[in-house]
């Protein structure tokens, strides 16, 4: 129950954000991108926070979905409403496949990390190489979906807000069902979980598939919102690393961790921006200091200070 | 065909040299060093700065490599200390985040303070002809350096008491501790050694073409892939994986060209991991 | 329903190679409904390997495992567990983020087939198992705060909450003091008597197994070298010391 109360609170706060930014297009864009980051972080939380699957192809999954949809729409004249679901499904399928293969081959966390890292680089180079379809580094101009959807700052914010809430509700529903128990058990000890009758493969693949579907959805929404997609938007540095920092900073394995992390990283990003060239250095230093100072992330700090069992 | 294979082996030796430090630190310290490529860059930048001040290429390179070793030592004694308090997966995770942060700090600092520094070392004689095959002399020098480094590493691990201690820790940290081997000191030594090896790879890059401050991430990713394909705990495996991927790279770039090469290389790495999840040499060593 | 002497679990010529040398060689056995079968032998004799092969952690190089006449060879551990073959590991590996009750509940939730004939919730089954284990008082404690024997009981409790036909127990007694051994031995007998669970029990503590098991099977170098009632095996052991070497299974 605490889960749904928290969800409501998060929903209300995020729904009110556009009112505080006034009409500023700059802040509207920043806050919309923050929502994208939160969606990514919810996805990664299922993958890594709950089932210890280190996917280093988050950007590539989001990008596969985005590029597939945008390129098919452009080349074949299909409706984005048809290609977006296709892109999302492909991302989900790829994630599920990586998970299935890695569990059945008994790959440890690092090996899965490197297999997905290789996929990530393959994706990046494919997009660069298939210039006729993707325009290479230049990228493809995109536009909203018509009828005010993903068009204009406010509508876009609320579309991504809706996606985030769907992601969070889905997450809560999974976590309060037996799937959630299975996630907890297998992240504690896979062998014991398996011996207790839990199909570890199945639950890891579920986590990976749902997480990858969310990455795909986030990527596709982002693509039509942002106006121009290029491989740089989906690179390891601009997605995977940032999402990892977001989740670790917010708190792994919790409902509000990705939300808190997303907000915090967005704020830090704004604070560091004036330093220009220096921001990479500041990010690195922050990552080290924050992670050493509180391992459990912001959620753990909140739980301690507020003495509340925040989900 | 032969020149292509030679190219592949030359590049493969560089890959192995770059990756072996990751294997050493992971095997001995249980930390996957995501700042490994930056160690190579540190050596290269140090050498370049010294050369800029009029020092000869050889002593500057030597000092650059030494700088990377010292840097490794300092990192082990400072940044990695909190990670060593944990074991197993906890340590791995903490190590990943800390070294990732470190790689940002190094990249950020170098791009800020030395944005245009790059290391290029030119040899007096650009190419040699042996048995009718012309090879760049840089290829010969870097390969000899890599072979020498691996030779010394094997001698050290097989032939000395300390080397045996190190191999025993790779197998069992707790057991080694019980036998009176200090894991923390050996670890420091290994992280420093790993820094030296990365530094050597950085200097080799300078000999080969040129090394810039922004290349750390690329080096780290390459090293990571090679080390993991080799099984991440086996030095022999890393060596073989480097050569294998080097040859794949040379063949692919000869027959395919351009971006397809990289995709084939990465695909080969993925396949190897999936076919032999415990490393190339899992059944032999 | 089923009379005694029904074979519930059987192995046929099970062989398992690790690299070149066999850890199990042509091991055949039958376990009858409702019995306690003791599995003994020196370290490295293949006892744990045999349990791993039965519970699906390892796939045998050759041979079959039959559970209620059904071939379960090569099935994955969770499927075997759900069919009704529970496994208790030698070293407890509990779910450390959970309480005692939650630990046991996982077994009821995922492996559960209700053996008590009425539809009951996972919590009920878990509480029932905890009462039997004498851990009901500590149901809400984090499992990490328990001592070794209690942790072993949690593992057994989780196995029983699954409502198994057969429970494979690996060294329930190692690391326990004599009083704890006595308790555990009684408990295992009670489990069999009250829950009608068939038990295959690997044990080093000879006193415990000789007191509780109806039948004993002796493994050495991966082969079955003796079998029969505890009394018979003890006599054989005395006669063929030379064959098993100095048997370290003579513990307290």
């Amino acid at each position: 129950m605490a889960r749904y109360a928290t969800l409501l609170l998060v929903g209300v706060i995020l729904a009110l954000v556009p009112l505080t930014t006034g009409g500023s297009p700059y802040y509207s864009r920043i806050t919309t991108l923050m929502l994208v980051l939160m969606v990514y972080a919810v996805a990664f939380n299922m993958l890594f926070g709950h089932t210890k699957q280190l996917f280093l192809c988050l950007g590539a999954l989001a990008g596969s979905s985005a590029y597939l949809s945008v390129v098919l729409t452009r080349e074949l004249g299909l409706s984005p409403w048809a290609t977006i679901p296709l892109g999302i499904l492909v991302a989900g399928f790829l994630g599920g496949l990586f998970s299935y293969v890695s569990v059945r081959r008994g790959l440890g966390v690092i090996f899965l990390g490197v297999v997905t890292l290789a996929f990530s680089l393959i994706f990046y180079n494919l997009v660069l190489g298939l210039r006729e379809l993707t325009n290479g580094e230049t990228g493809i101009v995109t536009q909203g979906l018509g009828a005010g959807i993903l068009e204009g700052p406010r509508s876009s914010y609320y579309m991504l807000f809706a996606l985030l809430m769907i992601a969070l509700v889905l997450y809560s529903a999974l976590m309060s069902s037996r799937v959630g128990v299975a996630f907890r058990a297998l992240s504690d000890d896979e062998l014991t979980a398996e011996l207790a009758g839990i199909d570890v493969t199945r639950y890891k693949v579920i986590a990976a598939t749902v997480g990858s579907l969310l990455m795909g959805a986030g990527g596709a929404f982002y693509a039509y919102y942002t106006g121009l997609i290029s491989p740089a938007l989906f690179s390891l540095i601009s997605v995977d690393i940032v999402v990892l920092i977001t989740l670790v900073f917010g708190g792994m394995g919790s409902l509000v961790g990705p939300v808190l992390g997303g907000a915090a990283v967005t704020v830090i990003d704004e604070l560091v921006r004036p330093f220009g060239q220096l921001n990479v250095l500041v990010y690195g230093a922050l990552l080290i200091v924050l992670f050493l100072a509180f391992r459990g992330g912001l959620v753990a700090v909140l739980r301690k200070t507020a003495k509340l069992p925040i989900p | 065909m032969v020149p292509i294979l030679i190219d592949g082996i030359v590049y493969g030796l560089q890959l192995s040299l770059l990756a072996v430090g990751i294997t050493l630190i992971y095997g001995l310290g249980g930390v996957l060093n995501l700042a490994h490529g930056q160690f190579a860059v540190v050596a290269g930048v140090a050498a370049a700065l010294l050369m800029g001040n009029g020092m000869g290429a050889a002593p500057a390179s030597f000092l650059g490599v030494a700088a990377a070793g010292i840097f490794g030592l300092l990192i082990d004694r400072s940044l990695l200390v909190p990670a060593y308090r944990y074991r197993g997966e906890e340590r791995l995770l903490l190590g990943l985040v800390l070294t990732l942060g470190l790689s940002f700090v190094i990249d950020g600092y170098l791009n800020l303070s030395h944005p245009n520094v790059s290391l290029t070392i030119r040899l007096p004689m650009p190419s040699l002809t042996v048995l009718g095959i012309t090879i760049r002399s840089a290829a010969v020098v870097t390969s000899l350096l890599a072979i020498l480094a691996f030779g010394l590493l094997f001698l050290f691990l097989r032939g000395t008491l300390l080397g045996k201690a190190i191999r025993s820790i790779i197998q069992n940290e707790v057991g080694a501790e019980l036998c009176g081997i200090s894991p923390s000191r050996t670890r420091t030594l290994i992280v420093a050694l790993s820094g030296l090896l990365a530094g050597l790879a950085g200097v080799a890059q300078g000999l080969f073409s040129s090394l810039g401050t922004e290349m750390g991430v690329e080096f780290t990713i390459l090293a990571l892939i090679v080390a993991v394909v080799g099984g991440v705990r086996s030095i022999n495996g890393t060596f073989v994986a480097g050569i294998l991927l080097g040859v794949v790279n040379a063949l692919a770039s000869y027959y395919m060209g351009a971006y397809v090469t990289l995709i084939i290389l990465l695909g080969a790495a993925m396949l190897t991991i999936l076919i032999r999840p415990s490393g190339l040499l899992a059944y032999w060593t | 329903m089923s009379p005694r002497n029904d074979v519930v679990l059987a192995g046929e010529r099970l062989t398992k190679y690790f690299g070149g040398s066999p850890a199990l060689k042509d091991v055949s056995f039958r376990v009858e409904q409702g019995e306690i079968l003791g599995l003994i032998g020196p370290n490295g004799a293949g006892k744990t390997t045999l349990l791993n092969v039965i519970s699906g952690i390892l796939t045998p190089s050759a041979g079959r495992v039959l559970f209620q006449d059904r071939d379960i060879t090569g099935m994955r551990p969770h499927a075997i567990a759900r069919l009704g073959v529970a496994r208790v590991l030698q070293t407890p590996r509990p779910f450390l983020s959970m309480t005692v009750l939650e630990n046991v509940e996982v077994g009821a939730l995922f492996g559960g087939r209700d053996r008590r004939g009425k539809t009951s919730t996972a919590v009920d089954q878990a509480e029932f198992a905890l009462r039997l284990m004498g851990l009901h008082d500590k149901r809400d404690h984090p499992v990490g705060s328990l001592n070794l024997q209690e942790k072993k009981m949690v593992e057994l409790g989780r196995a029983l909450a699954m409502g198994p036909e057969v429970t494979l127990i690996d060294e329930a007694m190692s690391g326990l003091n004599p009083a704890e051994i006595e308790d555990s031995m009684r408990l295992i007998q009670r489990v069999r008597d009250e829950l009608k669970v068939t038990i295959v029990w690997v044990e080093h503590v000879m006193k415990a197994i000789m007191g509780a098991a109806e039948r004993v099977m002796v493994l050495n170098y991966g082969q079955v070298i003796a079998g029969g009632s505890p009394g018979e095996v003890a006599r054989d052991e005395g006669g063929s010391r030379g064959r098993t070497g100095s048997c370290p299974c003579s513990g307290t």
Side-chain angles (χ1 to χ4, degrees), chain A residues 273-303:
Chain A
R273 197 178 298 275
F275 295 101
Q277 288 271 305
L278 199 63
N279 62 15
V280 180
L281 199 163
V282 176
Y283 246 109
L286 266 179
L287 184 62
I288 294 172
V289 172
L290 292 178
F291 202 63
L292 286 180
F294 31 88
R295 293 282 318 279
L298 288 172
V299 170
V301 175
L302 266 186
R303 279 179 193 145

Side-chain angles (χ1 to χ4, degrees), chain A residues 35 52 55-56 58 95-96 161 179 182 206 212 217 220:
Chain A
L35 295 177
K52 304 244 173 98
F55 269 44
L56 293 178
L58 301 174
F161 170 71
V179 178
I206 288 178
S212 306

Side-chain angles (χ1 to χ4, degrees), chain B:
Chain B
M1 193 67 190
V2 174
I4 303 170
L5 282 179
I6 291 178
D7 268 0
I9 292 170
V10 167
Y11 182 53
L13 281 168
Q14 300 315 307
L15 287 178
S16 309
L17 186 62
L18 189 60
V20 70
I22 292 228
T23 306
L24 281 171
I25 300 186
Y26 182 76
L28 199 100
V31 166
L32 199 65
N33 180 14
L34 294 184
H36 189 70
Q38 277 75 8
F39 283 19
V41 172
V42 165
V45 169
L49 290 176
L50 290 171
M51 280 170 73
N53 285 330
M55 194 183 269
S61 303
F62 183 81
L63 288 176
V65 171
I70 293 169
F71 188 62
L73 187 141
L74 292 175
I75 292 301
D76 176 79
R77 279 295 153 108
S78 56
L79 184 72
L80 292 179
V81 170
Y84 293 144
R85 292 203 194 105
Y86 299 89
R87 282 191 195 281
E89 216 165 87
E90 285 277 288
R91 184 191 287 181
L92 189 61
L93 177 65
L94 194 55
L96 277 177
V97 176
L98 293 179
T99 54
L100 181 68
L102 175 67
S103 76
F104 284 8
V105 171
I106 298 173
D107 275 353
Y109 174 73
L110 289 181
N111 280 327
L112 197 71
S113 61
H114 308 292
N116 298 316
V117 172
S118 71
L119 176 71
T120 311
I121 302 170
R122 277 184 232 295
L123 293 168
M125 197 172 54
S127 65
L128 312 162
T129 306
V130 186
L131 300 172
I133 299 169
T134 308
I135 310 173
R136 292 181 54 202
S137 48
V140 177
V141 174
T142 53
S143 301
L144 287 178
L145 278 177
I147 291 169
L148 184 69
F150 270 98
L152 287 175
L153 186 63
F154 280 120
L155 275 182
F156 170 62
L157 290 177
R158 310 260 152 193
T160 65
L161 197 61
L162 189 59
K164 284 175 186 157
I166 286 169
R167 287 195 294 145
S168 81
I169 297 179
I170 290 180
Q171 276 152 19
N172 186 342
E173 190 170 308
V174 181
E177 209 162 350
L178 292 175
C179 297
I181 298 166
S182 153
S184 79
R185 263 196 228 162
T186 347
R187 219 159 37 205
T188 308
L189 180 83
I190 280 298
V191 178
L193 187 62
S194 159
L196 288 176
L197 289 162
L200 200 57
V203 168
Q205 173 70 28
L207 270 163
F208 223 74
S209 53
S210 92
L211 173 137
T213 50
E214 75 297 336
M215 291 172 87
V217 175
E218 187 190 329
F219 282 166
T220 302
I221 290 176
L222 272 177
L224 200 59
I225 290 175
V226 173
V228 170
V229 167
V232 89
R233 273 177 175 275
S234 148
I235 292 160
N236 302 4
T238 308
F239 186 75
V240 175
I243 305 278
L244 180 85
L245 292 178
V247 170
V248 168
N249 180 68
L251 289 175
S253 67
Y254 183 77
Y255 289 108
M256 309 287 196
Y259 78 100
V260 186
T261 300
L262 197 55
I263 291 175
I264 289 179
L265 183 69
L266 293 163
M270 265 169 103
L271 263 180
T272 322
I273 294 171
L274 291 176
I275 294 169
R276 308 203 68 128
S278 24
L280 276 171
L281 305 179
Y283 298 125
W284 308 339
T285 47

Side-chain angles (χ1 to χ4, degrees), chain A residues 164-209:
Chain A
L164 175 65
M165 291 316 285
I166 291 173
L168 288 173
V169 169
L170 189 66
Y171 172 87
S172 305
L174 278 178
M175 293 315 288
S176 45
S177 71
R178 44 193 275 140
V179 178
V181 181
F183 283 178
R184 253 180 96 188
L186 72 88
S187 75
D188 276 357
D189 195 313
E190 288 193 17
L191 178 60
T192 309
E194 185 81 25
L195 290 176
I198 295 175
D199 187 344
V200 170
T201 313
R202 180 165 168 245
Y203 286 103
K204 283 188 131 176
V205 172
I206 288 178
T209 308

Side-chain angles (χ1 to χ4, degrees), chain C residues 52 72 194 227:
Chain C
N52 284 345
I72 60 168
E194 288 179 20

